[in-house]
Amino acid sequence: MASLDSVSLSILLGSVLVMAGMLSSLLALRFGAPLLLFFLFIGMLAGDSGPGGIRFDDVHTTYLVGSVALALILFDGGLKTHFKAIRAVLAPSMVLATLGVLVTALITAPVAKYALDLGWTEALLIGAVVASTDAAAVFLLIHGQGLRLRPRVGATLEVESGTNDPFAVFLTLMLVKVIALGGASAGHVALEFAQEVVLGTLIGVVGGRLVVLLLNRVALPQGLHAPFVCTAALVIFGLSQMLHASGFLAVYLAGIVIGNRPTRAHNSVVAFLDAATWLAQIVMFVMLGLLVSPQRLVVSIVPAVAVALVLMLVARPLAVFLCLAPFRFNWREKVFVAWVGLRGAVAIFLASIPMLVGLPKAYLYFDVAFVVVIISLALQGWTLAFAARKLHVALPRTDKGPRRIELDLPGQLEQQLVGYSVRPKSLYLKRGLIPSWSKPTLVIRDQRILSPAEAEPVAAGDYLYLLAPPEKAESLDRFFVDMPPSSAPDPHLLGDFVVSGEITLGDLAAIYGIAVDPEQTTLTLADYFDVHLDHAPTLGAALPVDSIHLVARSLGGGRVNVVGLRLPEDEEAPAPKLSRRQSARRRVSRIWTSLSGA
């Protein structure tokens, strides 16, 4: 009976710790603190050195839970990555994820050697453990602080954070093997790395396509689609690891493939994985906190702080500036990318590998990684929003997005039902605008279900449901938020062939003699962009109107307020001759597109 009671007690204590972590997030959000710090401190307080008094030193279980959690986090990140949005930043992101990690480790190693009195291989292992950024930490903090980054900067950080973990894991495992078993030749290391990357890519892409096929062909009972996809991700991860491929790379690529293909129950899968990854992060950080011994930290705190400061202020910035030098990033963007090199669970997880295999000084790696993570989350995490605004990489926040309800239609992959509450100052209510690819289907008013014709005119407070393609559903949000006041056009952009976004298509047709659909003559040019773009307007977005093209030249309040006119007599500049590197990048992009089906 005593053994049964101990199991029950473990369940009780474990669930209480997870619940405490969830509740602590409310306090962290209130004061703007990085949530992951709270989860770590909850684990430390519950450990044998804290008031909780729980003795936990099971490194094997920690490594197992950490592997599953990181696999799910990377899969979830890939699932939400739209390939069209990241295609332009693939090259800089991959350079940061490989060369950037290596350069960061090499610059950090000398400090670790002399501060901690280690050999060169052991010092390089310290550098490898703390070299990679943490995807969960980066985007949890960015979203938690309400930041909206410039698309190129945000996409670069997203792809780098998702793809640098496999290289950091490979580098760490290779150095652990060298320390435990002896040296390895450079050729052997390169061959093993190529094997992991090629096999991981192949398994990830093929596995993702198979999951899409099974998900759409097999009639699973309602509610099992999300657990099936989640389990399939772990199967891909486990199979890759068994075949000595990069499981983390495979599961990330599988997520990208699945997320960029039409699948059944897509919304429920995303919602389920959101909850699963959130819980995985809490459990992982609480367990890592339980492993920490404050008494041990006292011995290595000073050299660990030195490693953390050099990593954040020297190694990461130098690596970022070196890796992004061939690409067109301005210095503000480079500084921000360097500052957002947050360290999180990945560093502590990698530091548990030496403990798992029983290396000498194993706990030193863990303690240093723990201190680095604490300083990174506290210093960089708390200043993230401030840095984004000071460096002008944060875009103005639009009004808080509307509550969108998404319903998958059985047997239908091309359309889904999307519902919104109609706000009194929304673009839809004030101007009656709706994209051409969406179709209103029903209106709920005073607990009555009406057709759009019966509900005409739609009033504030109604709930409107529309049919829309799943990949475009999010673009409907901007039609159902309250419109911000229009800002004045930027005077620096005014000149020849530039007009205000508030003139109508009819006025434009009268001036330039172009043919316009009679039903659209009353639309302003800003309205025309809202209706016909599949996404929120961006600078440079272009739409054809008869023989001319409208080009978005300035935005205000989330809408186009200055429009450039590209006339047919304008001579287009000759296409620049591509360099060998650009040609190679274009060929790789085409091959990846054909493989992923994006």
Side-chain angles (χ1 to χ4, degrees), residues 162-359:
T163 55
N164 66 6
D165 292 344
F167 186 74
V169 171
F170 169 80
L171 193 58
T172 301
L173 289 174
M174 285 303 302
L175 290 169
V176 167
K177 287 181 182 177
V178 169
I179 295 172
L181 304 176
S185 66
H188 173 74
V189 172
L191 182 63
E192 192 162 335
F193 176 67
Q195 174 186 323
E196 290 207 8
V197 170
V198 172
L199 276 180
T201 301
L202 183 64
I203 295 172
V205 173
V206 173
R209 297 296 289 267
L210 285 175
V211 172
V212 170
L213 183 66
L214 290 172
L215 197 59
N216 293 336
R217 295 286 180 88
V218 178
L220 290 171
Q222 188 70 22
L224 285 184
H225 298 92
F228 171 78
V229 173
C230 190
T231 306
L234 295 179
V235 169
I236 292 171
F237 173 75
L239 177 63
S240 302
Q241 295 290 90
M242 286 293 295
L243 296 177
H244 301 288
S246 174
F248 295 106
L249 177 62
V251 80
Y252 180 70
L253 294 178
I256 292 179
V257 171
I258 297 169
N260 284 275
R261 302 281 294 178
T263 56
R264 187 175 293 166
H266 176 79
N267 301 317
S268 61
V269 169
V270 171
F272 181 87
L273 271 166
D274 279 344
T277 53
W278 179 247
L279 182 61
Q281 289 179 71
I282 293 176
V283 172
M284 181 166 56
F285 272 85
V286 170
M287 290 185 70
L288 293 172
L290 284 170
L291 280 177
V292 174
S293 171
Q295 290 86 351
R296 284 200 325 266
L297 286 178
V298 173
V299 178
S300 56
I301 187 71
V302 174
V305 170
V307 170
L309 293 178
V310 169
L311 174 69
M312 290 188 298
L313 303 178
V314 180
R316 169 71 177 179
L318 284 177
V320 168
F321 274 77
L322 175 66
C323 293
L324 296 185
F327 307 101
R328 292 182 296 176
F329 285 81
N330 62 48
W331 71 268
R332 295 177 185 274
E333 292 171 333
K334 292 176 183 177
V335 170
F336 183 75
V337 171
W339 189 244
V340 187
L342 288 161
R343 271 62 192 172
V346 175
I348 308 178
F349 167 74
L350 293 179
S352 68
I353 296 176
M355 293 195 299
L356 185 65
V357 300
L359 285 187

Side-chain angles (χ1 to χ4, degrees), residues 7 31 59 69 74 93 114 167 271 304-305 307 341 384 397 417 487 516 557 576 581:
V7 171
F31 293 101
V59 181
L74 287 173
S93 301
Y114 293 108
F167 186 74
V305 170
V307 170
L384 199 62
R397 291 295 301 177
L417 199 60
S487 59
V516 176
R581 179 186 297 177

Side-chain angles (χ1 to χ4, degrees), residues 39-83:
F39 302 148
L40 280 176
F41 286 133
I42 287 293
M44 289 180 66
L45 291 174
D48 57 355
S49 301
I54 299 175
R55 182 172 181 79
F56 180 81
D57 55 3
D58 191 345
V59 181
H60 184 273
T61 300
T62 303
Y63 182 79
L64 175 63
V65 172
S67 297
V68 172
L70 287 178
L72 290 178
I73 290 168
L74 287 173
F75 180 74
D76 183 54
L79 198 67
K80 296 175 183 176
T81 298
H82 298 292
F83 186 71

Side-chain angles (χ1 to χ4, degrees), residues 561-584:
N561 59 7
V562 176
V563 179
L565 306 180
R566 189 183 298 157
L567 304 181
E569 62 268 22
D570 292 346
E571 293 186 3
E572 294 189 4
K577 185 178 180 180
L578 298 179
S579 65
R580 291 183 179 179
R581 179 186 297 177
Q582 291 171 325
S583 300

Side-chain angles (χ1 to χ4, degrees), residues 359-441:
L359 285 187
K361 304 179 183 179
Y363 277 100
L364 180 62
Y365 304 112
F366 188 88
D367 293 342
V368 171
F370 186 84
V371 173
V372 168
V373 169
I374 293 293
I375 294 176
S376 176
L377 291 178
L379 185 58
Q380 294 174 304
W382 246 306
T383 59
L384 199 62
F386 175 79
R389 295 185 182 99
K390 284 296 181 182
L391 294 169
H392 306 295
V393 297
L395 298 175
R397 291 295 301 177
T398 55
D399 189 15
K400 185 179 179 181
R403 183 182 179 188
R404 183 188 341 120
I405 301 169
E406 300 179 357
L407 300 173
D408 291 296
L409 302 176
Q412 171 61 263
L413 299 178
E414 303 300 325
Q415 299 286 327
Q416 69 180 26
L417 199 60
V418 186
Y420 293 94
S421 172
V422 180
R423 296 188 182 183
K425 295 182 181 179
S426 63
L427 195 59
Y428 174 76
L429 188 63
K430 295 189 73 173
R431 303 205 178 184
L433 296 179
I434 207 73
S436 55
W437 41 261
S438 64
K439 180 181 179 181
T441 55

Side-chain angles (χ1 to χ4, degrees), residues 38-178:
F38 275 78
F39 302 148
L40 280 176
F41 286 133
I42 287 293
M44 289 180 66
L45 291 174
D48 57 355
S49 301
I54 299 175
R55 182 172 181 79
F56 180 81
D57 55 3
D58 191 345
V59 181
H60 184 273
T61 300
T62 303
Y63 182 79
L64 175 63
V65 172
S67 297
V68 172
L70 287 178
L72 290 178
I73 290 168
L74 287 173
F75 180 74
D76 183 54
L79 198 67
K80 296 175 183 176
T81 298
H82 298 292
F83 186 71
K84 290 180 180 178
I86 67 168
R87 184 178 298 172
V89 299
L90 271 180
S93 301
M94 295 308 296
V95 173
L96 281 172
T98 51
L99 181 61
V101 170
L102 182 60
V103 171
T104 303
L106 290 174
I107 296 174
T108 307
V111 181
K113 171 180 169 56
Y114 293 108
L116 296 164
D117 191 24
L118 299 172
W120 279 111
T121 308
E122 295 169 321
L124 188 56
L125 179 55
I126 291 279
V129 163
V130 299
S132 70
T133 58
D134 187 88
V138 169
F139 286 95
L140 186 62
L141 288 174
I142 287 176
H143 297 152
Q145 297 186 18
L147 283 177
R148 181 168 163 253
L149 300 177
R150 293 188 181 279
R152 183 172 63 164
V153 175
T156 300
L157 287 169
E158 178 180 348
V159 181
E160 183 215 358
S161 300
T163 55
N164 66 6
D165 292 344
F167 186 74
V169 171
F170 169 80
L171 193 58
T172 301
L173 289 174
M174 285 303 302
L175 290 169
V176 167
K177 287 181 182 177
V178 169

